[in-house]
Amino acid sequence: QLQLQESGPGLVKSSETLSLNCTVSGGSLTSTSYYWGWIRQPPGKGLEWIGSIYFSGSTYYNPSLRSRVTVSLDTSKSQFSLKLTSVTAADTAVYYCARITDYAFDSWGQGTLVTVSS
Amino acid sequence: IELTQSPGTLSLSPGERATLSCRASQSVSGNYLAWYQQTPGQAPRLLIYGAFRRATGIPDRFSGSGSGTDFTLTISRLEPEDFGMYYCQHYGSSLIKPHMYTFGQGTKLEIK
């Protein structure tokens, strides 16, 4: 059974870089059938797609975040990662990783809260 | 493309029928329209993809319909575990914005 697990610091200082990993078990990051993505949800608010990556390394980003976001893949560790630079309080959110198939997010990690402190 | 969900809050009792709406700012392909359920403290769960296809393990009381700009999620008979937030989501691709995912703002389904 596919499982995704986010990991990384829960507290990041303003202007620094947020870094998260998503470890995938029970499935392969090299499958041609799936993309892998990051989504976030500020406290009490809705969902926002951040970016996605394909096994080939092709990446796609939300235009509103593109200048600050990098998503990468490490198949040897069964992980994909998110880096978000120059964070502010507006980046405080629960960050989810997910698998994408048929243009929908069909499996999600449990999410990890990242708080940006001043 | 923007997605607008209505109503913002829907108050119903267990056993009743729920109808949730998702309207797109322009016509979209139903192949790219999905619905999610999120209960407090949990990750979203995929319910419907391709506008009407139920995801694995989703009960048949959940159904999706619609086309063009108007899509609907229907829950035929509400169970206590069905109350929570519901989001629609669209995948779009264009020369300017290839591979883009957009979520609606959500509908809160609460117990009356």
Side-chain angles (χ1 to χ4, degrees):
Chain A
Q1 182 177 351
L2 182 73
Q3 291 189 324
L4 299 94
Q5 179 68 57
E6 304 88 351
S7 60
L11 190 63
V12 180
K13 291 183 178 179
S14 183
S15 80
E16 296 190 344
T17 296
L18 179 160
S19 296
L20 295 174
N21 293 319
C22 180
T23 301
V24 176
S25 58
S28 174
L29 285 172
T30 59
S31 171
T32 58
S33 301
Y34 307 112
Y35 287 75
W36 306 89
W38 289 96
I39 305 97
R40 70 179 183 180
Q41 184 172 37
K45 296 188 178 181
L47 300 164
E48 179 182 37
W49 169 69
I50 301 170
S52 303
I53 191 165
Y54 193 46
F55 83 100
S56 62
S58 297
T59 51
Y60 308 88
Y61 301 128
N62 189 320
S64 68
L65 298 169
R66 178 175 287 127
S67 64
R68 300 194 291 131
V69 173
T70 303
V71 177
S72 59
L73 203 59
D74 186 340
T75 56
S76 66
K77 295 181 179 179
S78 291
Q79 288 182 340
F80 63 104
S81 303
L82 169 69
K83 290 189 186 301
L84 181 65
T85 63
S86 304
V87 298
T88 69
D91 295 310
T92 293
V94 175
Y95 285 76
Y96 296 100
C97 60
R99 186 178 73 175
I100 305 168
T101 186
D102 293 312
Y103 311 105
F105 301 90
D106 73 327
S107 293
W108 296 65
Q110 65 185 27
T112 187
L113 175 62
V114 179
T115 302
V116 177
S117 68
S118 56
Chain B
I1 294 177
E2 294 185 0
L3 300 177
T4 301
Q5 294 186 240
S6 62
T9 301
L10 184 58
S11 300
L12 294 170
S13 301
E16 291 192 295
R17 181 185 185 90
T19 303
L20 288 70
S21 172
C22 178
R23 176 163 289 179
S25 57
Q26 62 188 74
S27 184
V28 300
S29 168
N31 289 334
Y32 304 149
L33 198 288
W35 289 92
Y36 301 83
Q37 176 196 62
Q38 187 178 33
T39 52
Q42 300 297 313
R45 175 174 69 145
L46 177 65
L47 299 173
I48 300 287
Y49 67 97
F52 61 87
R53 297 174 174 86
R54 270 189 299 277
T56 302
I58 302 303
D60 60 7
R61 65 178 180 274
F62 292 90
S63 62
S65 62
S67 63
T69 59
D70 292 306
F71 296 86
T72 300
L73 175 70
T74 302
I75 311 171
S76 58
R77 283 182 58 87
L78 285 166
E79 298 285 343
E81 63 267 28
D82 297 338
F83 292 91
M85 288 294 296
Y86 287 82
Y87 296 94
C88 59
Q89 169 253 308
H90 174 256
Y91 165 83
S93 185
S94 66
L95 286 176
I96 299 174
K97 295 181 180 180
H99 193 109
M100 176 81 185
Y101 295 90
T102 305
F103 289 91
Q105 85 280 15
T107 288
K108 182 179 181 180
L109 178 58
E110 65 177 22
I111 299 177
K112 188 173 180 180

